[in-house]
Amino acid sequence: LVGWHRQRRAWPAGGWPAPTEPAVALFSVPDPAAFEGGPGSSWNDTLLPQLDRWLSGLGYRVIRFCAPESRGVEQALARRARDVRPLILYTTVRGLWRSACAWWAPRWPERLCVAGRPADWLFRREWWLDAARSGWCVFRHYHECLSTMLARGSWRWVVFFFENQPWEKLSVLAARRHGVPAAAVQMALLSRYYLSYFLGRDDARRMPLPDAVCVSGPGIARLLVEGG
C-alpha cells in the first residue's frame, strides 16, 4: 500500500488510460540505466535493446510495464507516463486479498519419516523455509495486477524475457485469461545446465508456456526443442 500511494502521488493527473490502438505490453526492469537519457528520452532498455522500435515499426503502440515491487523510481516512471504502466497502480482490494491468501497447504501423509525414522519437525521446517523464500504472495500480486491491466484496452501481445521463471508463467496465465497471446524473448546465455529452460515429462502439457519464444539462432532453438 505504501508503494501504491507513492506511485499514485507521483503520477500525473491524466491517470493511466487503457490503450485504444493495437498495443504491446512489454515487461521492463526500471534499473538506473533505463533512465540515463534524461526525463524526456525514450527508455534505455539494456536487456531487450531496440525491441520497442521494432514493435513500433510493425504498427503497435509499445507500453512498458514494471513489477509492482519496483521502488525508488516513482518519479522517473511518472515522467514517462504515456508509455509506462507500473503494475502497482493496478492494485485492488480483491487482488491484495488473493495475494495475501496465496499459500500452499500441503497434504501431509499420516507419517513423516526418513529411512523409517520420524521426521515431522524436519518436514515442517522445510515447508516454512520454502514459504519464506518462494515469494508466493509477491508473485500472486504481480499476476493480479497484470490481469487487471490487461482486462481493458486493445492489447495484442504480452512480451517478456524468457528464462521460464515463475513470474513468466503467471504472465502467460494473465494473458490467456484475457485472450492475449504471450511471447518471450531469450535475453541471456543458455547452457544445458540451466534446468529452468528444459522441461520434464509432461511439463509442456501442464505448464503455462508462452505462445512463441524468440531465440538467438538455430542452435538455441534446437536445444529448447530437444528440451521439451
Side-chain angles (χ1 to χ4, degrees), residues 16-27 51-52 54-65 81-85 90 146 149-160 175 178-183:
W16 45 97
T20 55
E21 62 269 54
V24 172
L26 176 61
F27 179 82
L51 182 58
D52 54 346
W54 182 74
L55 290 169
S56 297
L58 295 177
Y60 295 111
R61 177 185 173 187
V62 178
I63 298 180
R64 298 179 181 274
F65 67 98
R82 182 184 181 279
D83 299 315
V84 176
R85 296 293 183 272
Y90 295 90
L146 179 57
M149 185 187 82
L150 296 177
R152 295 176 56 250
S154 55
W155 301 104
R156 296 296 185 266
W157 286 92
V158 176
V159 180
F160 47 83
H178 300 288
V180 181

Side-chain angles (χ1 to χ4, degrees), residues 59-77:
Y60 295 111
R61 177 185 173 187
V62 178
I63 298 180
R64 298 179 181 274
F65 67 98
C66 312
E69 60 270 22
S70 303
R71 299 184 180 92
V73 291
E74 291 84 4
Q75 294 292 340
L77 294 176

